[in-house]
Amino acid sequence: MNRALIHQRARRLLPAGIETCGLLHFGMGPGQLERVLLDSVFGGGQAQGLVALRLSLSTALAIQRKGLRYFEAGDWVYSAFAAECASFAAEVLPSGHGAGYSAVALDGRAWFVVLPVERLVVYGWWE
């Protein structure tokens, strides 16, 4: 499967308002980014898959302007967090990062984190 196809499929998993423009990484091994994000943001759990995507510039700017109001509930529960306060910041995020937003699917099987200043979306799912 090529990167363009993986990106296309990953985009369909995100809510409509979260537009991305590229695939950054996928298939990280156990013990890498997914464990750090899950343990720090969602309090534990084992992700079965993970995809990191580049957030589109227009979406990043809109989220920066509107904050949590940008997101619509739908099938997701959203929350804001100060990325600089999260324990994974030193390992994962570049210095000078901004606030982020996280969401968990109502069925509890998927999650994502949006960091608009970094134009980063990390999407993960459980079995």
Side-chain angles (χ1 to χ4, degrees):
M1 188 177 303
N2 67 33
R3 293 180 66 82
L5 185 56
I6 294 169
H7 178 233
Q8 181 182 33
R9 288 184 178 187
R11 284 177 59 178
R12 287 188 287 215
L13 299 172
L14 293 168
I18 310 298
E19 294 294 327
T20 62
C21 59
L23 177 68
L24 296 174
H25 196 79
F26 64 96
M28 294 179 176
Q32 291 181 336
L33 183 59
E34 70 273 15
R35 183 183 312 149
V36 176
L37 282 170
L38 284 170
D39 290 345
S40 297
V41 179
F42 301 108
Q46 283 284 333
Q48 298 299 312
L50 184 86
V51 178
L53 304 163
R54 173 66 62 202
L55 189 63
S56 73
L57 180 58
S58 60
T59 300
L61 293 173
I63 293 170
Q64 288 177 51
R65 275 193 314 274
K66 295 181 181 180
L68 195 55
R69 294 178 317 205
Y70 179 84
F71 303 97
E72 296 181 22
D75 293 336
W76 298 88
V77 177
Y78 294 93
S79 61
F81 68 94
E84 61 273 5
C85 296
S87 63
F88 64 85
E91 295 181 46
V92 179
L93 302 176
S95 61
H97 51 77
Y101 303 91
S102 61
V104 177
L106 290 177
D107 67 6
R109 297 180 58 152
W111 58 271
F112 67 90
V113 173
V114 176
L115 301 174
V117 172
E118 293 75 20
R119 293 184 53 203
L120 176 66
V121 178
V122 178
Y123 178 90
W125 62 92
W126 294 278
E127 280 184 13

